[in-house]
Each structure stands twice: as C-alpha cells, then as structure tokens.
Amino acid sequence: MFQKSLLILAIAAAASAPALAQSTPGKKEAVARILKVQQPGIENMARALVQDSVVPLMDAAGGALQQRVAADKREALGKEMQAEARKYVDDTSTMVRDRAVKLAPTTVGPLLEEKFSEEELKQLATLLESPVLAKFNALGNDIQRTMVEKLVAETRPQVEPKLRALEDSFAKKLGVPPPNAAAAPAKPAAPKK
C-alpha cells in the first residue's frame, strides 16, 4: 500500500512538474523580450494574411470584369475595385495586426515556455536582440534578390522550354491558341507543286 501511494505521488508530482517548470518569471521576461523583437514579423504576418484573403476575390473579379463588363468601362471599374480592395487591406490590416500583437503573448509565449528552458529562452532573446543579427536580417531582401537573379539566369535555358510545353499542353486541353503562338514567326508556305 505504501509503495502504491508513493508511486501515485511520484506520478502526480511528475505530471505537475512540467506545468510548474514551464512558467517562471525568468521565462516570462525572456519571452517578452523575444516577442518584442519579433513584433515586426508578427505585424507583417498579419498584413500578409489580410492581403492573401483578397487575392482570390480580386482574381475572380478580374475574370468577371473581362467577361461581363463592356470594354469601355473595364478600366475605370477595375481601378475603382482595386482602390476598394486597397482600402479594405489598409483598414483590416490594422485591426488584424493589433489583435495578432495582443495574442502573441498568450499563444506564442506558452509555446516558447513549454519548448525551451529558461536559459535557452535567455540565449534566444540575446541572440535576437543582437545588432549583428539585425544587420544580417536587414540584408534579407538583398540576399534573396541576388540569389533569385542568379538562379533565374542560370536555370532559364532549362526552365523556359518546360514552361512553354506546359502552357502549350494547357492551351491544347482548353482549346485555345498557345500563348507563344502569336510570338512565333509564321512558317513559310510550302512551295506549290
């Protein structure tokens, strides 16, 4: 009986220990530092979420605009719709951004506290606050642009024929002229016999 009670106490202590160890003042402080540094990323994620929600709507509207609106009215209506979509994104992004920043401590915070020790969180906060890391991150767009330019230049000869073949295949299946058919020079007529 004594051993069984001791075993039950040990299991209960083990089960509650992680919950107790997960949240300490040191962890909370380190998480707050991490979230402060990560706030621009959280804000960008929120804006991208709102922008992404408009893309399918704008794509569908563009198709409908071409099919259902007279040619002389398309441009004006298209600009009006784009302005309305931009206003939606601007207005909604602010609300979603503010909510994301407010939710981060109660969603991301516990996850960080659960997965990292206090020492790891302190190290992570120090790393993220590093001016060297900030300088490196500021180069992100330049690094990506440079890599993409070089990658596109080196793979274009192999990729373009495959892309043209895919376009031609889709066009054939849809019963429309291939997109590159207009750009292709006309074949000379065969000599008559």
Side-chain angles (χ1 to χ4, degrees):
M1 172 94 173
F2 177 73
Q3 287 181 332
K4 188 175 182 181
S5 297
L6 189 58
L7 181 60
I8 291 171
L9 281 174
I11 292 171
S16 64
L20 296 174
Q22 287 177 2
S23 185
T24 65
K27 279 188 166 187
K28 290 204 176 298
E29 178 202 340
V31 166
R33 289 172 50 202
I34 292 166
L35 293 176
K36 182 179 178 187
V37 174
Q38 293 298 301
Q39 185 170 334
I42 293 167
E43 292 174 352
N44 289 338
M45 179 264 320
R47 182 164 183 88
L49 186 63
V50 172
Q51 288 172 331
D52 290 350
S53 72
V54 175
V55 171
L57 179 63
M58 292 302 293
D59 288 346
L65 192 65
Q66 292 298 317
Q67 294 175 355
R68 299 175 184 239
V69 177
D72 61 327
K73 296 181 181 180
R74 283 184 197 145
E75 185 176 345
L77 185 56
K79 286 181 181 180
E80 181 182 329
M81 292 168 73
Q82 286 176 343
E84 203 172 329
R86 271 193 301 278
K87 182 178 181 341
Y88 163 82
V89 168
D90 292 342
D91 293 348
T92 307
S93 290
T94 301
M95 182 263 305
V96 174
R97 178 201 65 213
D98 292 348
R99 190 66 188 143
V101 169
K102 189 172 183 173
L103 282 173
T106 60
T107 55
V108 177
L111 183 62
L112 292 172
E113 288 184 41
E114 177 186 332
K115 300 295 182 184
F116 292 92
S117 70
E118 184 173 326
E119 184 57 35
E120 290 170 330
L121 287 169
K122 288 178 180 179
Q123 290 175 18
L124 182 58
T126 301
L127 173 68
L128 292 172
E129 293 167 341
S130 163
V132 173
L133 182 61
K135 185 175 180 180
F136 175 76
N137 287 337
L139 282 175
N141 290 336
D142 292 339
I143 290 169
Q144 185 176 357
R145 182 182 31 75
T146 302
M147 180 65 182
V148 167
E149 287 172 0
K150 186 72 171 168
L151 181 62
V152 168
E154 290 192 11
T155 60
R156 178 175 279 134
Q158 294 86 19
V159 171
E160 280 186 350
K162 291 176 183 270
L163 182 59
R164 275 192 224 105
L166 181 63
E167 288 174 335
D168 290 347
S169 172
F170 284 6
K172 184 177 180 181
K173 288 176 181 170
L174 294 171
V176 296
N180 54 5
K187 291 182 182 178
K192 292 187 179 187
K193 293 184 182 180

